[in-house]
Amino acid sequence: MIRIMPSILSADFCRLGEEIKRVENAGALHFDVMDGHFVPNISFGFPVLKATRKATDAFLDVHLMISHPLDYAKRFVDAGADQITFHLESESNVGATVAQIKGMGCRAGIAIKPSTPAAAVMPYVQDVDQILVMTVEPGFGGQTFMSSMMDKIRLLRSLADQINPNLDIQVDGGINYVTARVAIDAGANVLVAGSFIFDQENPAEVIDRLLLLDQEYR
Ligand code: DX5
Ligand code: ZN
């Protein structure tokens, strides 16, 4: 089963409550936190996550594009995160960060940037709930999907089939109807989409259509 996670980075923040309702059929929200250091952009943090938590029962998927995720994980869990995915390339100890997140009863994921090989994250496949294979350079919405990342997804999916069959493989960046299909074919089952969903007149319909892609495989 695939899941669609609308990235609220592309939402209209003046009307965040309404925007959250417009995509509620996804049952999940992707929440991009940027610190202006790990990536050359700054987005939002705890107060916005807390407000979002109050406004919805949706699964809150937090993507930390920050240099020191270990230092902040607890505060994101307290603010309402259901899952925290941090970058392998961050400055925190990877094993300690996974242990800290899971120890608080939160799902843990590790993200890799386009330049990071799949092999770098393989030692952690057994220990995490999700691997995020970035399909754009982290930092900005609206970029073009990098299909060259699909080989990494295939490698990680075949390893997960052997040692962690429940692993979610998430893609983030440049998702639309065409690239969603490419990513699912490669073995991804969680698709983040920002501009493609929020730029539409009827985002709920886009989500339903993306979810239908899954049925074509049955
Ligand atoms: C990029 C973020 C993405 C972004 C995706 O750094 O991690 O979640 O919102 O946006 P689109 O779907 O527009 O590429
Ligand atoms: Zn993201």
Side-chain angles (χ1 to χ4, degrees):
M1 238 218 16
I2 65 162
R3 291 190 83 175
I4 306 299
M5 299 195 171
S7 171
I8 63 157
L9 189 64
S10 293
D12 176 353
F13 297 128
C14 287
R15 306 184 298 113
L16 190 54
E18 288 165 48
E19 293 281 76
I20 288 169
K21 286 213 170 63
R22 290 209 309 154
V23 298
E24 69 185 357
N25 58 324
L29 288 169
H30 180 82
F31 199 92
D32 287 308
V33 179
M34 305 178 186
D35 66 354
H37 186 253
F38 183 76
V39 288
N41 199 6
I42 296 178
S43 57
F44 39 68
F46 308 118
V48 181
L49 183 62
K50 263 186 208 157
T52 304
R53 177 75 293 164
K54 272 191 198 152
T56 180
D57 291 331
F59 181 88
L60 298 185
D61 175 50
V62 175
H63 175 194
L64 295 183
M65 287 163 273
I66 67 175
S67 295
H68 301 284
L70 181 56
D71 296 351
Y72 294 96
K74 183 174 185 313
R75 291 181 67 189
F76 281 105
V77 172
D78 290 345
D82 293 305
Q83 174 163 272
I84 295 180
T85 299
F86 66 96
H87 272 266
L88 184 77
E89 307 87 354
S90 75
E91 288 169 38
S92 295
N93 179 282
V94 175
T97 307
V98 169
Q100 155 100 337
I101 295 168
K102 288 176 79 172
M104 294 182 286
C106 185
R107 287 169 57 92
I110 301 177
I112 52 172
K113 294 207 253 187
S115 58
T116 301
V121 79
M122 283 180 176
Y124 305 102
V125 162
Q126 202 156 15
D127 303 329
V128 294
D129 299 294
Q130 170 167 283
I131 301 283
L132 163 52
V133 177
M134 291 300 298
T135 42
V136 297
E137 281 303 331
F140 301 91
Q143 302 179 75
T144 304
F145 181 83
M146 299 164 80
S147 49
S148 52
M149 298 297 119
M150 297 307 102
D151 283 346
K152 295 201 274 190
I153 294 175
R154 277 185 278 270
L155 278 170
L156 291 165
R157 181 52 77 197
S158 67
L159 177 63
D161 282 345
Q162 297 163 42
I163 62 173
N164 185 2
N166 292 325
L167 181 79
D168 282 332
I169 298 184
Q170 186 179 52
V171 283
D172 185 6
I175 290 295
N176 55 41
Y177 296 134
V178 174
T179 56
R181 186 185 295 269
V182 171
I184 294 167
D185 271 341
N189 66 312
V190 182
L191 314 178
V192 174
S195 48
F196 189 63
I197 290 178
F198 282 103
D199 291 358
Q200 313 278 337
E201 195 104 318
N202 189 344
E205 200 178 291
V206 177
I207 292 164
D208 283 342
R209 269 189 70 183
L210 284 167
L211 286 167
L212 275 177
L213 287 176
D214 197 29
Q215 290 183 7
E216 293 170 19
Y217 290 82
R218 281 152 201 259

